[in-house]
Amino acid sequence: MRNLLDFILKNSHSFLFILLEVLCLVLLFRFNNYQGSVYFTSANRFCGFVYETTSQVTGYFHLKAINDSLTERNIKAEQELVALRRQVMELSGDTVKFDSLTATVLQGFNLIKAHVVNNSLNRADNYLTIDCGSSDGLLPEMGVVNGLGVVGIVDKTASHHALVISLLNSKSNVSCKIKGREYFGYLRWDGKDSRFSWLRDLPRHAVCHKGDTIVTSGYSAIFPEGIMVGTVDKVLDSNDGLSYLVRVKLAVDFGRLNDVRIIFRKGMEEQQQLEKEIQ
Amino acid sequence: MLSSLQHILWVVGLVLIQAVFFNHIHIGGYATPFVYVWLILILNKNINRNILLLWGFGIGLLIDIFSNTLGMHAAATTLLAYVRPFILSLFVSHDSQEDFSPGVRVMGIGRFTGYVGIGVLLHHIVLLSLDAFSLFYWHILLAKIFSCALLTVLCILFIEFMRKGK
């Protein structure tokens, strides 16, 4: 007994080492299954405060580039609007019809404004921290977009900050389709280049060309149909040869995210509560 | 000589700098310096090994919380704290009983670089392998490990010379 105690005391650092490493691995592998773990993320109050302060400074650095791309998109959208308005006018000769058309696109969806305070690009699983939380009405599983396209999905929420799974994360699956052709697949990142992601499971008979636009399919409750994701960059065969694998140039530049919007459907809370009760 | 209070100040400062600055550097898309390992490497040579381990775990956990990688940095830094006495004994003669904190000033640039290099490489192998756990691109992993390690060692030497210059 005495020898045993001596042995343990003499090697206490080795036992402590094993104990701490086991603790680390438990934390590492259980982190994502545990909703309460938001306090161990950058969305907790203190980290959120630190990142918010720094992003108030660094937010100015990319402002010019962000402004340029928004202006460009605005001009494009305005030209499209003028063309469409003219077409609707020609077809129906009625302006009331047009107003009711625009109202139906985002019908039933709400937007909340937020700032990205922390962001990563080069890990296998990337997350964003935003300065909105449950006190602003955020819930896990809400979609996050910016002016250019889809950014990610809310994962965990603290009272004033939230953790968002970015598209650049092996855990993010977004159902997407080719605009105008309705063939759909799911988008998942491969951990390499932050400018590109991969659309998988696109059927063999689908028609797909370089430059085609990829948008959300609207099959899940998270994103409404038709939000920009990116453009087709390269079409390859999947490993099993049963479907296409499409390299998608992402519309959002994850290197300089600043303003984002959280998008959610009215009645989403009710649906989630119902689903929870069923489980 | 570093007093405990001084070291705590360094920890707070360097963890914050790591979180808001170094974590956002990606040279060539790969290389990110993890300068905070310096905090473990410069702790006093004769420090109690249990306390050294707790320092490693604590600092790693703080970095994890800031970068949403719970357990990853803590595991790597705890391992570094465990093997540090072995690495240090490779570069310091066994009979030197004197109490000192490893640094350029006491060890000389050659031996200090070797000591930091081995420690940092070991830490980065564990850290980046855990990060790439679900991916099998071993050549990207290797490129990341060596580019990050090189950058970290350069940053640590820079800090050391800044302190020496004072």
Side-chain angles (χ1 to χ4, degrees):
Chain A
M1 192 62 197
R2 212 190 135 77
N3 283 341
L4 182 70
L5 274 179
D6 275 347
F7 175 75
I8 291 176
L9 280 180
K10 214 176 134 199
N11 291 298
S12 64
H13 58 272
S14 293
F15 288 107
L16 182 64
F17 168 66
I18 293 168
L19 184 81
L20 288 177
E21 286 291 341
V22 168
L23 187 61
C24 290
L25 294 180
V26 168
L27 287 174
L28 185 60
F29 292 111
R30 282 195 52 94
F31 167 54
N32 292 298
N33 308 331
Y34 181 42
Q35 199 44 244
S37 58
V38 66
Y39 298 106
F40 285 118
T41 71
S42 62
N44 76 36
R45 189 164 299 189
F46 178 69
C47 296
F49 169 75
V50 169
Y51 281 136
E52 212 172 309
T53 316
T54 50
S55 81
Q56 274 166 5
V57 178
T58 55
Y60 288 103
F61 294 157
H62 303 302
L63 226 50
K64 193 177 172 329
I66 291 171
N67 215 0
D68 284 348
S69 63
L70 279 180
T71 312
E72 202 173 297
R73 197 176 147 86
N74 215 355
I75 292 169
K76 240 184 230 170
E78 247 167 46
Q79 286 171 341
E80 221 175 285
L81 180 71
V82 170
L84 286 175
R85 197 189 283 266
R86 194 180 300 140
Q87 216 161 4
V88 171
M89 282 286 279
E90 270 172 28
L91 288 175
S92 64
D94 181 5
T95 47
V96 180
K97 173 103 187 212
F98 186 81
D99 292 337
S100 67
L101 260 179
T102 49
T104 53
V105 176
L106 273 178
Q107 195 178 33
F109 281 90
N110 280 356
L111 293 172
I112 300 176
K113 200 175 136 190
H115 284 282
V116 174
V117 295
N118 184 42
N119 185 7
S120 74
L121 284 180
N122 73 336
R123 283 203 295 271
D125 292 321
N126 294 294
Y127 293 89
L128 315 167
T129 316
I130 55 174
D131 67 350
C132 263
S134 48
S135 64
D136 305 287
L138 257 66
L139 288 172
E141 303 273 294
M142 284 180 175
V144 182
V145 299
N146 77 355
L148 299 171
V150 173
V151 171
I153 296 167
V154 176
D155 182 33
K156 296 177 174 35
T157 53
S159 62
H160 293 291
H161 294 89
L163 193 67
V164 176
I165 298 183
S166 100
L167 282 189
L168 308 179
N169 189 313
S170 63
K171 290 184 207 84
S172 107
N173 272 330
V174 177
S175 176
C176 295
K177 66 178 184 185
I178 302 171
K179 193 178 181 181
R181 296 213 186 85
E182 308 301 311
Y183 293 112
F184 69 94
Y186 69 93
L187 192 82
R188 187 188 293 157
W189 194 47
D190 64 347
K192 282 180 179 166
D193 193 332
S194 66
R195 291 167 302 165
F196 299 98
S197 186
W198 295 85
L199 184 65
R200 294 150 203 267
D201 280 359
L202 195 70
R204 286 298 295 196
H205 58 274
V207 186
C208 182
H209 302 294
K210 191 178 166 174
D212 283 356
T213 306
I214 306 289
V215 295
T216 52
S217 69
Y219 291 155
S220 70
I222 297 172
F223 292 106
E225 188 185 339
I227 293 187
M228 178 78 172
V229 174
T231 51
V232 174
D233 182 64
K234 217 167 30 175
V235 183
L236 302 171
D237 289 331
S238 68
N239 291 335
D240 55 9
L242 295 174
S243 57
Y244 282 132
L245 192 59
V246 178
R247 191 158 89 144
V248 179
K249 170 109 184 59
L250 294 170
V252 174
D253 182 352
F254 283 88
R256 42 166 209 241
L257 279 177
N258 197 352
D259 282 312
V260 293
R261 301 281 182 280
I262 290 83
I263 193 166
F264 65 98
R265 211 152 38 87
K266 286 167 195 149
M268 185 175 166
E269 285 171 59
E270 277 174 42
Q271 189 189 338
Q272 278 192 346
Q273 207 152 18
L274 266 177
E275 281 168 3
K276 216 173 265 173
E277 274 171 27
I278 292 165
Q279 284 167 3
Chain B
M1 290 298 138
L2 232 64
S3 69
S4 291
L5 187 67
Q6 235 179 335
H7 195 252
I8 288 171
L9 283 179
W10 269 110
V11 168
V12 173
L14 206 51
V15 165
L16 284 179
I17 295 172
Q18 178 76 44
V20 303
F21 180 62
F22 288 126
N23 271 352
H24 298 274
I25 295 177
H26 316 293
I27 294 175
Y30 293 118
T32 302
F34 298 102
V35 182
Y36 71 92
V37 292
W38 179 70
L39 297 167
I40 300 300
L41 292 170
I42 58 157
L43 277 169
N44 206 294
K45 174 176 166 265
N46 292 336
I47 191 171
N48 182 305
R49 295 191 65 176
N50 290 332
I51 293 176
L52 182 62
L53 280 170
L54 290 176
W55 268 116
F57 181 73
I59 291 171
L61 198 65
L62 272 179
I63 298 285
D64 275 333
I65 289 174
F66 270 103
S67 47
N68 297 318
T69 51
L70 201 59
M72 218 180 268
H73 287 275
T77 318
T78 309
L79 180 85
L80 176 68
Y82 182 70
V83 296
R84 197 198 81 149
F86 304 114
I87 304 174
L88 193 57
S89 68
L90 291 176
F91 294 94
V92 179
S93 55
H94 290 281
D95 51 330
S96 79
Q97 287 299 314
E98 54 179 328
D99 207 29
F100 69 85
S101 310
V104 171
R105 212 177 315 185
V106 269
M107 292 173 71
I109 173 105
R111 286 191 301 165
F112 184 71
T113 310
Y115 162 66
V116 170
I118 292 182
V120 164
L121 197 61
L122 204 73
H123 172 270
H124 285 21
I125 288 172
V126 176
L127 175 71
L128 296 165
S129 307
L130 283 176
D131 182 39
F133 200 63
S134 57
L135 304 165
F136 300 106
Y137 307 116
W138 59 270
H139 46 285
I140 290 186
L141 180 61
L142 276 184
K144 265 192 183 176
I145 288 173
F146 283 106
S147 59
C148 290
L150 186 69
L151 199 58
T152 307
V153 172
L154 286 178
C155 288
I156 288 176
L157 287 179
F158 181 73
I159 296 179
E160 277 290 322
F161 280 110
M162 292 291 285
R163 286 180 72 214
K164 200 183 168 190
K166 269 194 299 190

